[in-house]
Amino acid sequence: MDALLDANAAFYRAFESLSLARMEEVWLRAAHITCIHPGWNALVGWGPVMEGWEGIFASAFAMKFTLDDVRCVQRGDVGWVVLVEHVESHDRDGKSLGVVQATNVFERHEGRWLIVHHHGSPVYPPLAGRGPAMH
């Protein structure tokens, strides 16, 4: 489980680095990888996923993540981490803060955990005077 959490930490270090080369190092180079950024459609395959990261990195000056409520599950050569990202980003429009519920899925490939799926969904504050949404 520690190796899986280390791989998750490496993903966020690559994210904060704003370096496409570092992001490429933590992903499995495969046609089945997927990535869903908040508000985006699914990116499928190596090319589209890396183009998505390239676009994000090109528009950001700095990003810092604080991770919360981290939960990790491993089943054989697949594992996933569910967590809350508290994101501080800086771009040409200034500083922004956000909260994202994220899932990162990893596959063990040749003894190394590599990410194969990242999904982030924005978490919005509750409306004033209202409790949690009922489903």
Side-chain angles (χ1 to χ4, degrees):
M1 204 82 76
D2 287 345
L4 186 55
L5 288 171
D6 289 346
N8 192 67
F11 168 70
Y12 284 100
R13 285 192 305 273
F15 206 153
E16 289 177 335
S17 78
L18 304 179
S19 164
L20 185 60
R22 286 193 58 192
M23 188 57 78
E24 288 176 342
E25 291 174 7
V26 299
W27 281 82
L28 180 65
R29 191 177 290 257
H32 68 274
I33 67 171
T34 52
C35 189
I36 304 171
H37 298 290
W40 292 33
N41 290 323
L43 302 172
V44 179
W46 180 262
V49 169
M50 291 307 131
E51 287 170 13
W53 289 115
E54 188 173 35
I56 289 171
F57 295 162
S59 66
F61 300 145
M63 296 190 90
K64 174 72 177 139
F65 289 87
T66 303
L67 307 179
D68 192 18
D69 197 20
V70 178
R71 289 170 277 158
C72 181
V73 177
Q74 180 183 338
R75 297 289 183 263
D77 288 334
V78 175
W80 56 94
V81 182
V82 177
L83 53 91
V84 176
E85 304 170 348
H86 298 271
V87 187
E88 179 181 322
S89 60
H90 300 266
D91 59 26
R92 64 182 165 274
D93 296 327
K95 174 181 166 180
S96 63
L97 303 172
V99 181
V100 176
Q101 180 70 58
T103 303
N104 300 318
V105 180
F106 297 84
E107 284 184 25
R108 189 166 30 207
H109 181 75
E110 297 177 356
R112 185 170 171 231
W113 288 103
L114 295 167
I115 193 163
V116 295
H117 176 74
H118 169 73
H119 184 168
S121 296
V123 176
Y124 300 107
L127 296 173
R130 296 191 47 192
M134 299 300 284
H135 299 284

